[in-house]
Amino acid sequence: QLQLVESGGGLVQPGGSLRLSCAASGFTLDYYAIGWFRQAPGKEREGVSCISRSGSSTYYTDSVKGRFTISRDNAMNTVSLQMNSLKPDDTGVYYCAAFAILSNWYRGEEAVDYWGQGTQVTVSS
């Protein structure tokens, strides 16, 4: 069975940090570009960050630039999202997603090949 599994979510105070991980089972992550999406309560899901198969290209939505860092370890079959200086607006369910080609990231959710089940991130004092 092909699966993506996220971990690392939780409750953190504003200004704090969390590190999310996305692990694959049943397939090899290095064949895919990997993206992170998030969905806040009452809002549509939005793309947050994406990394190419090799890790040489990354993308960040404007609201997280300078605070979030995406990385991958193909040997470990994982992708991570380091989130620093967290704000209440970062609250939501975070999903990792696999894309067969990097350019599909720009097509959004419709182009996702595999989804994870999501992990909750709550930023609150």
Side-chain angles (χ1 to χ4, degrees):
Q1 186 176 1
L2 308 179
Q3 278 188 309
L4 291 172
V5 179
E6 302 94 338
S7 61
L11 172 64
V12 64
Q13 292 186 342
S17 298
L18 283 174
R19 186 177 181 87
L20 305 183
S21 292
C22 174
S25 65
F27 67 104
T28 304
L29 267 186
D30 58 0
Y31 289 140
Y32 294 87
I34 302 296
W36 287 93
F37 290 79
R38 66 185 178 190
Q39 187 165 24
K43 295 186 177 180
E44 293 186 354
R45 191 154 45 186
E46 65 168 340
V48 175
S49 182
C50 187
I51 189 166
S52 63
R53 291 169 55 184
S54 67
S56 60
S57 297
T58 57
Y59 164 86
Y60 300 94
T61 194
D62 286 346
S63 62
V64 308
K65 283 180 181 177
R67 300 188 298 121
F68 290 12
T69 302
I70 191 170
S71 61
R72 67 189 301 158
D73 185 338
N74 287 339
M76 297 297 292
N77 218 25
T78 59
V79 171
S80 297
L81 185 68
Q82 178 67 40
M83 305 186 297
N84 299 329
S85 302
L86 283 162
K87 305 174 181 179
D89 284 350
D90 295 317
T91 294
V93 180
Y94 283 69
Y95 302 87
C96 68
F99 296 87
I101 55 176
L102 180 61
S103 59
N104 281 352
W105 162 256
Y106 299 98
R107 295 172 52 196
E109 296 184 45
E110 67 175 35
V112 172
D113 289 281
Y114 301 106
W115 286 102
Q117 84 288 350
T119 186
Q120 176 70 44
V121 171
T122 303
V123 184
S124 175
S125 55

